[in-house]
Amino acid sequence: MSDHVFPAGELMKGKRGLVMGVANKNSIAWGIARQLAAQGAEIAFSYQDEALERRVRPLVESLPCEPFMVQADVTDDASMDGCFKALQDKWGTIDFLVHAIAFAGKDELVGSFTENTTREGWRRAMEISAFSFVDAGKRASRLMPNGGAMVTLTYLGSERVVPSYNVMGVAKAALEASTRYMARDLGPHGIRVNALSAGPMRTLAMAGISGGKALMKTGREWSMMKEDTKMEGVAGAALYLLSDLGHSCTGETLHVDAGFHAVAVPDMADE
Ligand code: NAP
């Protein structure tokens, strides 16, 4: 995975926000956070539990901004209340939200969607992967009296069938539709809401999907650019959407996948 961070700048100077979903140095949320910090952002990081806090703290402490970590399990209202209260107590207002959280059970990320999707599995995937953005977005918007920007992470499995992605594809479709409804509600308040549809990247979440390696290989071979999706491309797009560069862009699902999403048929040899 590329380690590239764009040259330091001031695109995010004076902006504060919450990044949700850093599990380790390969997390998409971490790639985005590094770019935001290099552009002068002040960042709060949420972590799900104490074990994760211990793992993520050294990363957070390596950034050029003051380390600020808050606990937030998106399935627990009290925990979400505590997270946003901590933000309000420390900063009063915020300017951006990065939501990079998803979960589905291993047994559901394999084989037949029709056979393997259970009521509980559906509920859990939808709650953690889609509703959590609506909930965090609502809470964040209350701390954005001067406007702001929100980004969530999605994947092409929402629009097209991807083997094994199954219930997560359905949750991502709900996430993208939620993004548009949130953008409509929050637009008049100067808050932009967008989704970033990233191509496959080697992260913990990806490791949970059966056939993840094959997905990456196909992504590379079928893509217009014949290469893996790069973290700096995804982080750069997030920087665009979260900074004033992204003014007037809202309700959008932006694909950053080396062009894979627009290909219907792979290259074929002439007969
Ligand atoms: P990751 O590093 O594993 O990040 C996923 C994060 O979700 C982890 O920090 C995880 O925390 C968190 N999470 C899960 N359940 C949670 C809960 N109940 N409360 C709070 N946090 C919770 O993987 P990633 O690939 O960067 O994933 C980030 C986002 O990008 C996801 O929405 C994913 O679907 C999306 N995405 C990934 C790819 C890809 O190829 N990797 C492509 C497109 C989109 P724990 O570790 O504690 O569970």
Side-chain angles (χ1 to χ4, degrees), residues 21-23 27-28 48 52 72-75 100-103 128 153-155 165 172 198-201 203-206:
V22 178
S27 295
I28 295 176
Q48 191 183 171
L52 213 67
D73 179 342
V74 297
T75 63
I101 286 176
F103 180 82
I128 298 177
L153 269 298
T154 186
Y155 175 60
Y165 204 61
K172 292 298 193 193
M201 286 190 288
T203 64
L204 275 183
M206 171 57 115

Side-chain angles (χ1 to χ4, degrees), residues 1 20-30 46-49 51-52 55-56 71-76 79-80 99-104 127-129 132 152-156 165 168 172 175 196-207 209 215-216 229 231 234 256:
M1 185 163 297
M20 310 181 80
V22 178
N24 60 33
K25 68 177 173 45
N26 296 326
S27 295
I28 295 176
W30 177 244
S46 68
Y47 57 90
Q48 191 183 171
D49 56 32
L52 213 67
R55 220 185 315 147
V56 172
Q71 196 268 335
D73 179 342
V74 297
T75 63
D76 179 351
S79 161
M80 291 295 281
H99 172 274
I101 286 176
F103 180 82
E127 179 184 9
I128 298 177
S129 315
S132 67
T152 187
L153 269 298
T154 186
Y155 175 60
L156 190 65
Y165 204 61
M168 187 55 82
K172 292 298 193 193
L175 178 69
L196 246 178
S197 187
M201 286 190 288
R202 273 181 227 287
T203 64
L204 275 183
M206 171 57 115
I209 300 164
L215 215 60
M216 291 209 51
T229 297
M231 183 64 90
V234 174
V256 180

Side-chain angles (χ1 to χ4, degrees), residues 66-89:
E66 185 196 348
F68 180 18
M69 297 184 68
V70 283
Q71 196 268 335
D73 179 342
V74 297
T75 63
D76 179 351
D77 280 332
S79 161
M80 291 295 281
D81 289 347
C83 167
F84 282 86
K85 179 163 186 321
L87 290 179
Q88 186 168 22
D89 289 349

